[in-house]
Amino acid sequence: SSAGGWDHLVPSLVALASALLDVAPPTAATALLIAAPDRSSANEDALHDRLPAATRLPLLGKSMLLEAFIMHPMIRAEVMEALCSRVVARGDSVQHWVALLQDLVSKQPTLVLEHTERL
């Protein structure tokens, strides 16, 4: 499905989301928010709005990659490759990538199972 010709933008959005996850090393407060499952309560939305922009960037990147992984089969292998390479490299942002993997496994286990050879 071409979704109105927007499919050619998906790889660039994945690259942007990956860069957002790599931006800042996790702090204790960010780590708790990133690792927490998505909830849509008004209190959490207000909490997210009060966070500094540098803290919200990884949250945005994680949600972008999660949605792209679910909606676009063509980039699943690319997302899994990026995820595995970041976790193996154990860089400063590894906690962000592990939180993404946690969300992927909990929300779309069958899609992740298709890529177990990469894990």
Side-chain angles (χ1 to χ4, degrees):
S1 73
S2 67
W6 289 87
D7 278 351
H8 64 282
L9 293 176
V10 173
S12 296
L13 290 174
V14 168
L16 173 63
S18 297
L20 291 175
L21 274 179
D22 287 336
V23 161
T27 62
T30 308
L32 289 174
L33 286 171
I34 289 174
D38 292 330
R39 296 181 200 100
S40 59
S41 70
N43 290 340
E44 283 195 22
D45 289 342
L47 176 63
H48 284 263
D49 290 342
R50 285 185 273 144
L51 293 173
T55 303
R56 290 186 300 204
L57 289 176
L59 296 171
L60 175 61
K62 184 178 98 168
S63 66
M64 287 172 64
L65 284 175
L66 183 64
E67 290 301 316
F69 187 88
I70 292 168
M71 306 271 305
H72 299 281
M74 67 181 187
I75 57 95
R76 289 180 186 149
E78 181 181 346
V79 169
M80 291 304 291
E81 184 67 33
L83 195 150
C84 290
S85 68
R86 298 314 198 290
V87 170
V88 168
R90 292 182 184 242
D92 291 338
S93 63
V94 70
Q95 196 166 10
H96 300 308
W97 290 94
V98 170
L100 172 64
L101 179 60
Q102 178 184 1
D103 280 357
L104 287 172
V105 168
S106 67
K107 292 181 180 183
Q108 295 294 323
T110 55
L111 296 179
V112 175
L113 281 174
E114 294 173 6
H115 300 279
T116 54
E117 71 276 359
R118 295 187 193 287
L119 297 175

